[in-house]
Amino acid sequence: MDYFYSYLILAEIYVLLGLSTNLLVGVVGIFSVSQAAVFGVGAYIVSDFLLSGTLSFLPALAVAAVACIVLNVLLTLPSLRVSGDYFVVTSFGIQLLATAVFTNWTGGTGGANGLPGVPPPDLFGFPLEETRQILGFTTVAAGLGCLAFWLAMRAPYGRLLKAIREDELAVAAAGKDVLRAKVSAAALAGAFAGVAGGVYATYMSFIDPSSFDLDASVLLLTMVVVGGARTLAGSIVGPFVLLALPQLLQLVAIPTTVAASARQLLYGVLLIAFAVFRPQGLAGERL
Amino acid sequence: MRMSRFWLAAVAAGALLGAAAPARAKTIELGALLPLTGPGAVIGTEQMRGIQFAVDELNAKGGIDGDKVHVIYDDDQAKSDQAVLDFNKLVSLQHVPMIWLAYSGPTLATAPLATRRHILILNSGAQSDALQKASPYLVNTLPSTEEEVKVMVKYLRAQGKSTAAVLYENDAAGIGGRDDFVKDFKAAGGKIVAQEPVQFGQTDFRPALLKLASAKPQVLYVVTTVGMVPLADQLHEMNHKWLVAGTTFMNNPQVIADPNAAGLIHTQVEANVSPALMAAFQKKMGVEMGFFSRQYYNSAQMIFIILDHMIKAKTPITGANMRTELFKIKTFATPVPMTFTSNTAIVPIAIEEMKNGTEVTITHSVAK
Amino acid sequence: MLLLQLLVNGIVTGCALGVVAVSFALVYATTRIFHIAHAGVYTLGGYLAWSLLAHGVPEPLALLGAMAGCTVLGAAIQHFLYAPLERRRATHLIVLIASLGALAVIQNLIAAVYSSDILEFTIPWASAVVTLGGLRLTGAQLATLALSLAAFVGMLWFAHRTLLGKRIRAVASNPFLAEITRLEPRAVYVTVIAIASAVVCIPGVLVPLDLGLQPYGGVTPLLTATIAMIAGGVGSLGGAFLFAVVIVVLQNLSLLVMPGEWSIGVTFAIFVVFMLFRPRGLFAAG
Amino acid sequence: MSAYLEVSGVNQRFGGLQALNDCGFAIAQGGITCMVGPNGAGKTTIFNVITGFLRPDTGHVAFRGRRLDGLRPQAIVAAGIARSFQNLRLFVDLTALENVLIGLPSGFGEAPLGALFRPFHTARLDRARRAQAMERLEHVGLADRAAEKVRNLSYGEQKLLTVARLLATGAELLLLDEPASGLAAGALDQVMALLRRLQGEGKTLLVVEHNTRVVQQIADHVLFLHQGHLMAEGTPAQIIADPALAEIYFGGAL
């Protein structure tokens, strides 16, 4: 049972991240490859507060969310000056820079050793130690995230963001403040990623830079592609499928010595298949 | 709908697995969580070969009292969240009582789970000091870097070396080793003149070596886990005058065979196996039996001894019982002698020097 | 002396990376495809050469054989992956994802066939040390320097002096215009990727000759090369090459003034700041 | 008395190209002014300057006596000037109605906090806005296509939709960039009738147009731009009758 619980918990945390990435990449069209860096900052902030005992879980989570809002706004600012592939590469640079900081800033992040022994999340003094309790908490958190995404998308705000993705200039000509809309979307995405980071750190009880590297950012992007862009369903389906995939691929019988590479190979094939045959993902719109 | 077909395939695959499971009634299932893809795969596959070779050897001899052993390998890509997921799967779905791990990250991430669910986890590859107290259920068959460093520092000071530079891998293993060395070498009256990191998997050591060389140390202490052959070559190419000292990770058949490696010395956690075994391994796996293969082969032998005791005593095979049995047996005469007074094995540590394609033992010592 | 040796080592590695950057830039400027799988082509080159050498093929022939293999792989990626995607009007991100998928396939095929151990070439002249003044360089490094420069000059000559090169530059500057003047961009695309793949094979073989082969080892060079391309200005082959050399040299020299663990971080920090103030690169064409 | 819209002394240089050269003109309220001139005369550039997409090197734009230069596009829309684009720039993945909704002045629920924390209020106000947008669609005769995605509309319908989106801003001075180009006769008449009707409703129009027939039929006043400078102005008849202008305009082909 714990296996399914831990799968659900991780998938729900990744749903928050999927929402964050989908908002930025799918809805507004800012091709960020550095969402894992924001996720990591959220995780490190919560861990540092809990390990030093200065704040309890919920206030720490709030601080992490605010910090990630600010950070994500700063990270997406280059998209106002550079566009398209240039932003993708800038964002690659930001991600690698973040990895370097996570790995080398031993004082704040524990460096490559990571931070072991992060206490479990607690709600108003009641620690959530059982996997089942944590699942309840992540379900509520992911549920609230989905609700927020849904409300934002069906409101005039969502319409405005979709219009910006299609044609920024036309939106400005219609008298709208494009800058404010983009910044607020980045802020919202940052809040999702920061909360996801905090929850992740307390559930795992151990974090190190490998969870927040370029691979993780690419995985988030892949979740949007496989799940589907711009829809709530897509943001949910993507994480659930992609986390299940390695587990399902384990079931394919392959000689042990090459099994792992063969599975990764199948993963690559799957990415190609989606790109070629189903660019709208499982439950979304065309990217 | 493509989507429904996808899930159909998933369910079908699950059913196949379910159908296959009961066929192995007299099989003891164990788990291994190793980095089998990604940059860490160099080490992970070597470890997997060690375990699998031991298991095949055992099963060919008829298993333990007739029971076959089967190891389920999962790839965690050296990532901690993947490791947690895989750990839970191995425990919840496949009900394994013990799991091999590698790398500090995944090991530290699964340690609290092991405590909670009474699963024995066995690390035979990572040496980070944080592993010593992570969980009562985490057993390390490899002494921490700290033990190796002590032996080496003592030797270096005895040789009259008083200045040292450190080349370390910028990850948990390398940084831990560097910190230990810097602390101990200073405490022993030596001086650290320079230190420089390299990234895991990086094979261009030249910039770092040049910078270290400019500090003119008498000793270069190396704490890296991969890329030893390029390192030996690039050291040779510099025509340096210093003594190069390393850790167990330097013990790699390719390095020893490399003429450029002559004169390197390193501490060696003893993991010697007989030449006959080495040859058999080479024949079956197609590669030489590297240090990690030997380590995991040895820890597999230890597990077999524990299982043998338990089967004979008809003790149910659970993680908690395996742990109890391990500390009850305490000393194992697998090809390498191991003694457990804490969660970390006491293993003999030697200092060896590479010479003409072989290694010569300079001193012997026992950790702790 | 330390400075000089660091500088020279940086130039050698930088030239090799420069060829990666130039070949990537050629593909990007022409097709606008962010060809991440180029890293896979680069990696495959080294492994093919290794296998050929292991079967007793002489060194120059092994290099040519590897180049032929890379050419086929590159052309196949264009023909069987990018072209169908283009026909389906896939967006940039989708093509990028497909390219990532292709990279995963290539890397893991290599890992499955050759294992993920570091493979070493055993060629005596490659590891022989040559002393020039106080400088020490290996045979492999000298070969890398010479062939990389040759490849770069060859690429420049090709792009500016040959008919095909001019056509490619025409398509790069305006595919639509090229289409109406019947230049057949699709045929040009295949040619471009094939050529770029053959060229990237040169550093793909020579760098591992010096430093060993790893199945996942192509990603970092490609990322650095991409940054060099962008910083140098898309469409400027010389800019891409120059920046690759500058980046690697700076990374090497940065060791003189700061601890090595920060050198990569600082490189990317400079790059990000650079992008903010000079978003079109230093030598941007047009 | 100051003019309704007054452009004076605008210079705009792109690298080596002088796109606007001491460009200046004035427009009276309530009329339809057509702007003509050969390709590259700077017509679209002056649109960009007036609507805040370009900040000119020198020169002023004043609307109802108030200086506009230096303001951001959205401030200029708020001041009462809106523009359309030659290449339409519709949101093709949104519906016709949604395109018009984007044009409506900003309302509650367009910022995330309102949308998230007062969802019911947002939904209620959005219903009212939908009704408003529907009116605009009816105005241009596209009410029955409201729920259709723009990519499925005909070119003529898309042209009408740009006008509906423009109207939605509530601006009183509308800048239209070639509203009639590329249209078949039937759709052309429909667009011209719509422009006339808008004039009747009190809007002022500044229209870039190439089609002399359209200019003759709708323009009250014509501005002739050449090499970024106002070369002549007058009634359509006066401009068309001037052989020197025809020489420039048609390059002597007539």
Side-chain angles (χ1 to χ4, degrees):
Chain A
M1 220 47 218
D2 266 14
Y3 168 54
F4 290 108
Y5 286 165
S6 68
Y7 166 71
L8 289 177
I9 291 170
L10 278 174
E12 283 170 352
I13 292 171
Y14 274 98
V15 165
L16 282 174
L17 288 166
L19 290 170
S20 166
T21 316
N22 211 337
L23 191 62
L24 221 49
V25 178
V27 179
V28 197
I30 299 174
F31 286 177
S32 166
V33 208
S34 51
Q35 281 313 93
V38 184
F39 173 49
V41 169
Y44 281 117
I45 288 179
V46 169
S47 305
D48 280 340
F49 277 126
L50 293 188
L51 284 170
S52 67
T54 30
L55 283 182
S56 63
F57 177 63
L58 286 180
L61 204 58
V63 174
V66 172
C68 289
I69 286 174
V70 175
L71 179 71
N72 210 30
V73 169
L74 290 178
L75 293 191
T76 45
L77 279 185
S79 76
L80 300 173
R81 269 185 74 80
V82 298
S83 52
D85 296 318
Y86 285 71
F87 180 71
V88 177
V89 179
T90 310
S91 171
F92 262 116
I94 291 172
Q95 173 63 53
L96 294 177
L97 177 61
T99 306
V101 173
F102 292 159
T103 317
N104 297 318
W105 184 37
T106 321
T109 65
N113 284 316
L115 293 173
V118 180
D122 71 274
L123 296 178
F124 312 106
F126 300 104
L128 307 176
E129 270 163 352
E130 290 297 313
T131 315
R132 223 175 320 136
Q133 295 167 328
I134 297 180
L135 177 61
F137 176 70
T138 52
T139 307
V140 171
L144 285 176
C146 290
L147 180 68
F149 186 86
W150 183 72
L151 284 175
M153 283 306 107
R154 72 189 286 275
Y157 180 59
R159 195 159 58 221
L160 182 63
L161 294 182
K162 286 179 188 170
I164 287 175
R165 182 188 60 87
E166 283 202 43
D167 194 332
E168 234 174 84
L169 222 59
V171 174
K176 306 288 166 173
D177 193 335
V178 174
L179 177 70
R180 196 164 68 189
K182 273 187 153 182
V183 164
S184 64
L188 205 56
F192 282 144
V195 169
V199 176
Y200 176 85
T202 49
Y203 168 62
M204 296 291 291
S205 93
F206 169 81
I207 52 170
D208 69 358
S210 73
S211 302
F212 317 114
D213 60 6
L214 186 59
D215 285 358
S217 274
V218 170
L219 176 69
L220 291 179
L221 216 54
T222 314
M223 284 177 174
V224 174
V225 173
V226 170
R230 294 195 283 293
T231 61
L232 178 60
S235 314
I236 299 172
V237 170
F240 272 88
V241 169
L242 274 172
L243 277 186
L245 202 60
Q247 311 295 323
L248 290 173
L249 290 178
Q250 307 259 18
L251 304 179
V252 183
I254 309 168
T256 15
T257 43
V258 295
S261 343
R263 281 185 208 114
Q264 285 294 306
L265 198 146
L266 281 176
Y267 176 69
V269 170
L270 206 81
L271 274 189
I272 294 176
F274 262 100
V276 176
F277 300 112
R278 209 175 160 85
Q280 70 274 47
L282 289 171
E285 297 169 22
R286 276 176 68 99
L287 251 179
Chain B
M1 272 304 290
R2 278 167 221 276
M3 195 171 144
S4 55
R5 228 182 291 156
F6 177 86
W7 288 114
L8 199 69
V11 171
L16 268 176
L17 181 92
R24 311 192 198 95
K26 289 282 274 177
T27 300
I28 303 164
E29 301 227 300
L30 305 173
L33 257 176
L34 307 168
L36 300 175
T37 55
V42 187
I43 288 177
T45 39
E46 196 182 320
Q47 293 163 334
M48 181 174 74
R49 286 187 205 120
I51 299 174
Q52 194 53 42
F53 184 71
V55 169
D56 289 347
E57 202 182 50
L58 177 84
N59 288 340
K61 285 190 296 198
I64 303 167
D65 217 25
D67 288 358
K68 295 270 160 71
V69 170
H70 177 243
V71 178
I72 304 160
Y73 299 96
D74 268 341
D75 174 22
D76 62 18
Q77 300 182 319
K79 297 201 180 235
S80 31
D81 49 358
Q82 200 60 44
V84 166
L85 208 48
D86 286 338
F87 177 95
N88 279 315
K89 189 185 87 174
L90 285 171
V91 174
S92 299
L93 293 188
Q94 274 119 357
H95 306 289
V96 301
M98 74 78 53
I99 298 173
W100 274 280
L101 282 152
Y103 279 78
S104 338
T107 310
L108 288 172
T110 47
L113 297 174
T115 317
R116 199 180 306 156
R117 307 193 60 184
H118 309 295
I119 300 299
L120 179 67
I121 53 177
L122 194 56
N123 157 47
S124 308
Q127 288 186 297
S128 155
D129 295 337
L131 294 166
Q132 313 310 312
K133 294 188 187 76
S135 160
Y137 278 83
L138 167 60
V139 169
N140 306 291
T141 65
L142 198 59
S144 71
T145 335
E146 206 178 350
E147 303 302 322
E148 282 193 57
V149 165
K150 273 182 199 151
V151 175
M152 182 56 86
V153 165
K154 199 171 142 203
Y155 173 77
L156 291 175
R157 291 298 289 143
Q159 297 294 305
K161 306 288 181 192
S162 57
T163 57
V166 187
L167 178 76
Y168 62 99
E169 203 164 80
N170 197 16
D171 58 16
I175 292 171
R178 175 202 65 179
D179 290 347
D180 291 333
F181 184 81
V182 168
K183 194 182 79 200
D184 287 6
F185 197 69
K186 278 184 186 162
K191 192 171 165 228
I192 303 292
V193 291
Q195 35 178 292
E196 202 55 37
V198 289
Q199 299 305 316
F200 176 86
Q202 177 185 335
T203 48
D204 184 3
F205 298 98
R206 291 188 185 103
L209 289 178
L210 283 167
K211 185 175 173 187
L212 293 175
S214 69
K216 302 200 177 357
Q218 292 169 316
V219 177
L220 175 68
Y221 191 65
V222 177
V223 210
T224 56
T225 54
V226 292
M228 292 301 167
V229 176
L231 177 63
D233 292 345
Q234 288 163 28
L235 276 168
H236 175 77
E237 161 196 328
M238 291 179 69
N239 199 18
H240 62 86
K241 301 272 184 304
W242 60 68
L243 175 66
V244 178
T247 65
T248 287
F249 295 112
M250 235 178 224
N251 179 308
N252 169 311
Q254 283 176 304
V255 186
I256 299 168
D258 184 355
N260 289 341
L264 302 189
I265 64 165
H266 66 96
T267 42
Q268 177 63 54
V269 174
E270 286 201 2
N272 293 335
V273 293
S274 68
L277 188 74
M278 294 279 271
F281 184 94
Q282 164 104 45
K283 187 156 171 264
K284 183 153 190 281
M285 298 291 178
V287 287
E288 284 187 77
M289 193 172 190
F291 172 73
F292 289 109
S293 290
R294 277 177 273 150
Q295 267 300 322
Y296 280 77
Y297 175 85
N298 278 330
S299 65
Q301 299 301 337
M302 179 182 94
I303 291 297
F304 299 158
I305 294 170
I306 295 169
L307 288 174
D308 186 52
H309 280 236
M310 291 171 79
I311 287 169
K312 283 188 179 132
K314 297 212 162 44
T315 318
I317 297 171
T318 65
N321 290 344
M322 283 180 81
R323 178 176 175 276
T324 315
E325 194 68 36
L326 186 149
F327 286 107
K328 208 165 88 195
I329 302 173
K330 200 171 153 194
T331 301
F332 293 86
T334 56
V336 177
M338 283 187 277
T339 308
F340 289 91
T341 54
S342 71
N343 283 342
T344 303
I346 299 171
V347 182
I349 295 175
I351 292 183
E352 314 217 314
E353 182 180 355
M354 304 203 182
K355 252 184 198 161
N356 309 327
T358 57
E359 290 203 296
V360 182
T361 304
I362 306 174
T363 60
H364 268 297
S365 173
V366 173
K368 284 198 182 132
Chain C
M1 204 63 238
L2 169 67
L3 179 87
L4 195 63
Q5 181 78 51
L6 280 174
L7 183 71
V8 171
N9 283 347
I11 290 174
V12 172
T13 320
C15 284
L17 256 175
V19 175
V20 180
V22 167
S23 59
F24 184 81
L26 186 73
V27 174
Y28 183 72
T30 320
T31 65
R32 295 285 144 178
I33 293 168
F34 215 77
H35 183 31
I36 301 269
H38 206 44
V41 178
Y42 169 90
T43 312
L44 181 75
Y47 278 92
L48 284 180
W50 190 88
S51 283
L52 288 172
L53 287 171
H55 284 88
V57 177
E59 286 121 25
L61 284 182
L63 177 62
L64 288 177
M67 284 170 76
C70 287
T71 310
V72 171
L73 176 64
I77 292 174
Q78 166 64 27
H79 186 75
F80 295 110
L81 187 59
Y82 298 155
L85 281 172
E86 199 206 350
R87 278 198 293 277
R88 286 161 196 263
R89 302 187 177 283
T91 57
H92 254 61
L93 189 61
I94 288 293
V95 179
L96 184 73
I97 297 281
S99 192
L100 271 172
L103 176 63
V105 169
I106 298 169
Q107 284 180 333
N108 288 296
L109 265 180
I110 292 174
V113 173
Y114 292 92
S115 93
S116 33
D117 299 344
I118 299 177
L119 281 187
E120 301 287 342
F121 285 90
T122 42
I123 300 175
W125 64 259
S127 47
V129 180
V130 180
T131 315
L132 300 162
L135 289 176
R136 305 177 67 81
L137 289 171
T138 61
Q141 280 183 299
L142 289 174
T144 305
L145 184 66
L147 285 181
S148 295
L149 283 174
F152 171 56
V153 173
M155 289 278 277
L156 280 186
W157 175 81
F158 166 78
H160 292 269
R161 292 277 176 273
T162 64
L163 183 63
L164 182 60
K166 286 177 185 166
R167 278 178 137 199
I168 287 172
R169 291 200 302 145
V171 175
S173 63
N174 191 342
F176 175 69
L177 199 70
E179 190 144 28
I180 56 176
T181 54
R182 280 181 289 153
L183 261 177
E184 291 179 67
R186 251 164 233 112
V188 173
Y189 287 5
V190 173
T191 321
V192 164
I193 295 200
I195 292 171
S197 304
V199 170
V200 84
C201 179
I202 295 172
V205 173
L206 288 165
V207 173
L209 198 59
D210 190 26
L211 301 171
L213 281 164
Q214 301 182 64
Y216 306 97
V219 179
T220 318
L222 189 80
L223 263 181
T224 319
T226 313
I227 286 175
M229 175 191 82
I230 300 253
V234 172
S236 161
L237 297 185
F241 187 82
L242 184 73
F243 261 87
V245 178
V246 168
I247 290 172
V248 179
V249 166
L250 281 184
Q251 260 182 11
N252 269 15
L253 293 187
S254 71
L255 291 187
L256 295 175
V257 289
M258 65 179 152
E261 65 261 37
W262 288 106
S263 82
I264 292 179
V266 169
T267 311
F268 288 115
I270 292 173
F271 169 71
V272 170
V273 173
F274 180 90
M275 285 307 290
L276 287 180
F277 292 100
R278 235 181 121 122
R280 292 274 140 205
L282 214 53
F283 305 119
Chain D
M1 176 208 120
S2 70
Y4 186 59
L5 176 78
E6 186 163 15
V7 176
S8 56
V10 174
N11 280 291
Q12 175 80 51
R13 183 171 267 288
F14 298 117
L17 177 77
Q18 184 83 37
L20 292 176
N21 183 9
D22 190 27
C23 187
F25 55 84
I27 288 173
Q29 189 170 6
I32 297 185
T33 306
C34 279
M35 191 184 277
V36 298
N39 280 326
K43 301 183 296 281
T44 300
T45 312
I46 196 70
F47 264 33
N48 284 333
V49 168
I50 296 172
T51 51
F53 284 92
L54 272 178
R55 196 162 292 190
D57 303 332
T58 62
H60 306 301
V61 177
F63 181 59
R64 290 179 171 278
R66 182 184 155 210
R67 287 276 296 276
L68 292 185
D69 39 293
L71 293 183
R72 292 202 292 161
Q74 68 254 34
I76 289 171
V77 174
I81 305 178
R83 54 97 52 101
S84 72
F85 294 91
Q86 193 185 335
N87 51 354
L88 310 189
R89 307 198 85 129
L90 289 167
F91 311 113
V92 295
D93 279 337
L94 303 186
T95 65
L97 187 71
E98 284 173 326
N99 268 268
V100 179
L101 279 164
I102 296 291
L104 285 176
S106 295
F108 193 83
E110 239 173 42
L113 291 182
L116 295 187
F117 293 107
R118 297 189 63 191
F120 297 108
H121 188 57
T122 303
R124 201 163 48 240
L125 290 180
D126 199 41
R127 271 198 296 280
R129 285 158 63 83
R130 279 173 187 275
Q132 234 179 319
M134 204 60 196
E135 274 174 34
R136 300 291 185 281
L137 279 180
E138 276 162 16
H139 206 102
V140 301
L142 284 177
D144 53 329
R145 307 290 272 158
E148 193 65 57
K149 281 208 172 179
V150 171
R151 63 166 75 256
N152 301 330
L153 298 184
S154 73
Y155 188 63
E157 287 172 328
Q158 294 192 359
K159 285 249 172 184
L160 290 172
L161 183 58
T162 60
V163 178
R165 188 172 68 179
L166 201 56
L167 280 177
T169 61
E172 44 179 301
L173 170 59
L174 307 180
L175 276 55
L176 295 117
D177 204 344
E178 303 202 16
S181 67
L183 290 182
L188 190 67
D189 291 339
Q190 214 181 337
V191 167
M192 283 197 291
L194 176 61
L195 297 186
R196 278 269 170 234
R197 202 161 79 232
L198 293 179
Q199 186 191 17
E201 286 158 11
K203 304 281 185 195
T204 306
L205 281 72
L206 174 61
V207 182
V208 167
E209 192 48 69
H210 274 297
N211 187 330
T212 38
R213 188 169 75 86
V214 174
V215 173
Q216 272 174 308
Q217 284 192 20
I218 63 166
D220 300 316
H221 191 71
V222 177
L223 303 171
F224 192 102
L225 250 63
H226 181 49
Q227 294 179 340
H229 187 75
L230 182 72
M231 189 162 202
E233 61 180 312
T235 62
Q238 285 169 331
I239 297 292
I240 290 168
D242 189 334
L245 298 181
E247 170 71 22
I248 293 170
Y249 194 61
F250 298 106
L254 264 182

